[in-house]
Amino acid sequence: MSSCNGNCASCGSSDCSDRKKKSLLESLNPKSSVKKVIAVVSGKGGVGKSTITSTLAVAMARRGKRVGILDADITGPSIPKAFGVTECQGADDHGLYPALTRSGIQVMSINLLLDNPGDPVVWRGPVIAGAVKQFWTDVIWEDVDYMFVDMPPGTGDVPLTVFQSLPVDGIVIVTSPQDLVSMIVSKAVKMANMMHIPVLGLVENYSYLTCPDCGKKIEVFGKSHLDQISQEFDLPILARLPIDPHVAECYDSGMMESIDTDSVSDVVKAVENLD
């Protein structure tokens, strides 16, 4: 428009071609460097999303990459326990330094800031969303090649905040082999499409249990429906992971960095293809 002064706030026109959409992305801490951000999401709780996040971080670190995990599941944080870390490295005038795992994975979680990790976080949605933003803006992430964001389940306040406030490059959807999965995955995929963020693929957790005596695969949660979902949304199945007591034991004892990560090799390749 010929009379445009560049100040959209003072203009009453709603259909001006010069009007620019305001970005909601938060600025990274000036001393931070993060190259790629991958969100690990699930439409419902209890599918082992945090375990998958931890496994992917370990796998990528073993490839010589510098890795960070932002635990966005504020009311149900479990990432610190998986790696046996209990406190951040400290803070200064520049910001807060995340915890470091044995292999150098950088971790930030609300449980690292609580006096007692067992205390509940009884906060309303906007406060929780604000904390997630601060994990991005106030924490000093040092030369991170890949940051994995462990998301809370569902499509609520925090997932929306992450998708709008962080420069998410791709999404991995974690699910389980149950009938209701089709609806749950549908919600997650449609939210990703609304946010214009590519879905890298699907990971089915708890897909089966291998009998320790005969080696037979037992479908504890019933027959998988993932193939139909994959075809419906034209998304690749990146992994089908078994129920593994050893992985659960490592997670509970803070020894996730000792697990075998071959099962997520295709997921890692999908993440690397973002480059």
Side-chain angles (χ1 to χ4, degrees):
M1 297 174 65
S2 59
S3 59
C4 178
N5 61 9
N7 182 6
C8 292
S10 66
C11 178
S13 175
S14 61
D15 59 351
C16 173
S17 60
D18 293 327
R19 183 180 290 272
K20 293 179 176 61
K21 186 177 180 179
K22 183 180 178 181
S23 173
L24 297 176
L25 289 177
E26 295 288 338
S27 298
L28 188 62
N29 186 293
K31 292 183 70 67
S32 293
S33 173
V34 177
K35 294 178 182 176
K36 295 292 181 182
V37 179
I38 300 90
V40 182
V41 310
S42 63
K44 64 183 289 293
V47 298
K49 171 182 47 58
S50 296
T51 303
I52 304 303
T53 302
S54 303
T55 304
L56 289 174
V58 171
M60 199 62 81
R62 287 179 182 169
R63 291 181 173 236
K65 305 299 182 180
R66 292 181 63 87
V67 180
I69 302 178
L70 190 159
D71 189 355
D73 195 354
I74 301 295
T75 58
S78 60
I79 293 295
K81 183 176 179 60
F83 291 94
V85 293
T86 57
E87 58 185 17
C88 297
Q89 298 178 76
D92 58 24
D93 292 341
H94 300 292
L96 182 65
Y97 293 85
L100 278 181
T101 71
R102 297 174 185 86
S103 65
I105 296 172
Q106 300 172 49
V107 174
M108 190 63 227
S109 171
I110 196 66
N111 259 15
L112 299 172
L113 304 177
L114 299 176
D115 292 333
N116 178 9
D119 289 342
V121 178
V122 189
W123 297 346
R124 294 192 182 276
V127 180
I128 294 174
V132 172
K133 289 181 184 180
Q134 286 186 284
F135 285 172
W136 178 257
T137 61
D138 295 2
V139 174
I140 298 173
W141 301 97
E142 299 186 48
D143 300 320
V144 171
D145 295 311
Y146 295 97
M147 173 180 284
F148 294 95
V149 182
D150 186 28
M151 303 277 278
T155 56
D157 222 8
V158 172
L160 181 60
T161 295
V162 170
F163 291 156
Q164 290 183 328
S165 303
L166 274 61
V168 179
D169 295 287
I171 294 170
V172 173
I173 297 179
V174 181
T175 184
S176 59
Q178 293 150 300
D179 265 336
L180 63 97
V181 163
S182 179
M183 178 186 68
I184 298 301
V185 172
S186 173
K187 290 178 182 292
V189 172
K190 288 176 181 177
M191 183 175 189
N193 291 339
M194 288 171 63
M195 298 292 107
H196 305 292
I197 301 172
V199 178
L200 304 183
L202 307 171
V203 173
E204 183 176 80
N205 203 19
Y206 310 140
S207 187
Y208 58 89
L209 173 67
T210 302
C211 175
D213 296 321
C214 68
K216 180 181 178 180
K217 291 183 178 181
I218 305 168
E219 296 174 328
V220 178
F221 291 105
K223 188 172 178 58
S224 173
H225 298 270
L226 201 61
D227 289 316
Q228 299 97 298
I229 300 168
S230 171
Q231 293 174 10
E232 179 181 351
F233 294 105
D234 192 25
L235 293 172
I237 298 173
L238 300 175
R240 296 180 191 265
L241 306 180
I243 298 172
D244 189 339
H246 176 66
V247 172
E249 181 182 345
C250 289
Y251 197 100
D252 289 342
S253 61
M255 298 296 293
M256 278 299 286
E257 285 157 303
S258 67
I259 68 168
D260 187 328
T261 61
D262 288 346
S263 59
V264 296
S265 59
D266 285 344
V267 190
V268 170
K269 290 176 184 177
V271 171
E272 288 181 324
N273 285 339
L274 286 169
D275 295 334

